[in-house]
Amino acid sequence: MKSSDFLIKLNKEGKLEIVESSEQMSLSYEKKGIECREVANLAFNNGYFESAITQSYYSMYNNVLSLFFKCGIKCENHSAAAIILKEFFSQKELYFAFLKAKGERIDKQYYVTPSQNNPATKESAKEMISAALEFNPQMVVFKNNLKLEEIKRIREKIRGILQPEKKK
């Protein structure tokens, strides 16, 4: 399935929409990202490495959602969030970091040893926390530097795929 077909499907399900931009929602998700990062550190310091990995990922995901709400994009799908980050925001480096973290989170959250490809260790949790500590500030800087014209262009590109009949 092409990414545009996938995004259209999510739109029909109400999981991906162009909405009113909301600085308040954006800041709320940014705060939620900070809380997840702090919980990841608490989990790590107490030996809960799987939870540290999961919370590190969610700190990243919440920062992506923060970007989206600033731009008036509601996205309730992790894979779609990655696609949008890459294809509409042209953030390939952040996309690859996010995709890797997503894979780690899925492996650690949904599979238990010995089914996991590589079980959570102190080192893997430390790497994930470091990845989040690198990703999150980059995402915030990118979000804060976006210009209104760029946001309009991105929204129109997404709208063009989701609602081609409304395209200007």
Side-chain angles (χ1 to χ4, degrees):
M1 176 184 283
K2 290 186 337 186
S3 59
S4 58
D5 293 338
F6 177 59
L7 298 178
I8 291 166
K9 177 182 175 284
L10 290 175
N11 178 250
K12 288 178 182 174
E13 295 172 357
K15 295 179 181 174
L16 175 62
E17 299 176 72
I18 299 295
V19 296
E20 196 69 36
S21 298
S22 173
E23 190 66 28
Q24 182 179 1
M25 288 290 287
S26 177
L27 292 173
S28 293
Y29 276 104
E30 189 176 325
K31 181 179 181 226
K32 195 171 187 173
I34 292 167
E35 290 173 7
C36 288
R37 190 196 67 231
E38 290 173 359
V39 170
N41 286 329
L42 289 170
F44 179 84
N45 291 335
N46 286 285
Y48 297 105
F49 303 129
E50 288 178 17
S51 294
I53 290 168
T54 299
Q55 288 300 312
S56 293
Y57 167 76
Y58 276 104
S59 76
M60 297 165 79
Y61 180 63
N62 283 308
N63 273 285
V64 171
L65 294 180
S66 175
L67 166 68
F68 289 177
F69 273 102
K70 175 179 178 152
C71 298
I73 302 164
K74 183 187 108 187
C75 180
E76 297 176 355
N77 182 285
H78 297 252
S79 295
I83 291 167
I84 292 167
L85 193 59
K86 178 183 166 202
E87 294 185 12
F88 296 96
F89 288 91
S90 302
Q91 291 300 302
K92 288 190 172 97
E93 187 178 313
L94 292 173
Y95 159 80
F96 285 117
F98 182 69
L99 204 58
K100 182 179 179 187
K102 179 178 169 276
E104 280 294 302
R105 189 265 311 176
I106 288 169
D107 189 46
K108 303 309 184 270
Q109 187 174 10
Y110 295 119
Y111 303 102
V112 293
T113 307
S115 302
Q116 291 173 325
N117 292 332
N118 48 349
T121 62
K122 184 175 186 175
E123 189 56 38
S124 64
K126 191 175 185 177
E127 286 175 17
M128 188 67 150
I129 288 170
S130 292
L133 286 172
E134 186 175 323
F135 179 92
N136 292 336
Q138 289 178 11
M139 180 59 64
V140 170
V141 166
F142 175 74
K143 177 186 77 169
N144 291 340
N145 287 331
L146 266 179
K147 306 285 185 251
L148 188 56
E149 284 306 312
E150 292 171 291
I151 292 170
K152 285 180 183 179
R153 180 187 51 78
I154 290 164
R155 287 172 56 88
E156 285 307 310
K157 278 177 66 178
I158 294 172
R159 186 177 283 120
I161 287 174
L162 301 181
Q163 305 164 345
E165 66 283 352
K166 294 182 181 179
K167 200 173 173 181
K168 292 182 180 180

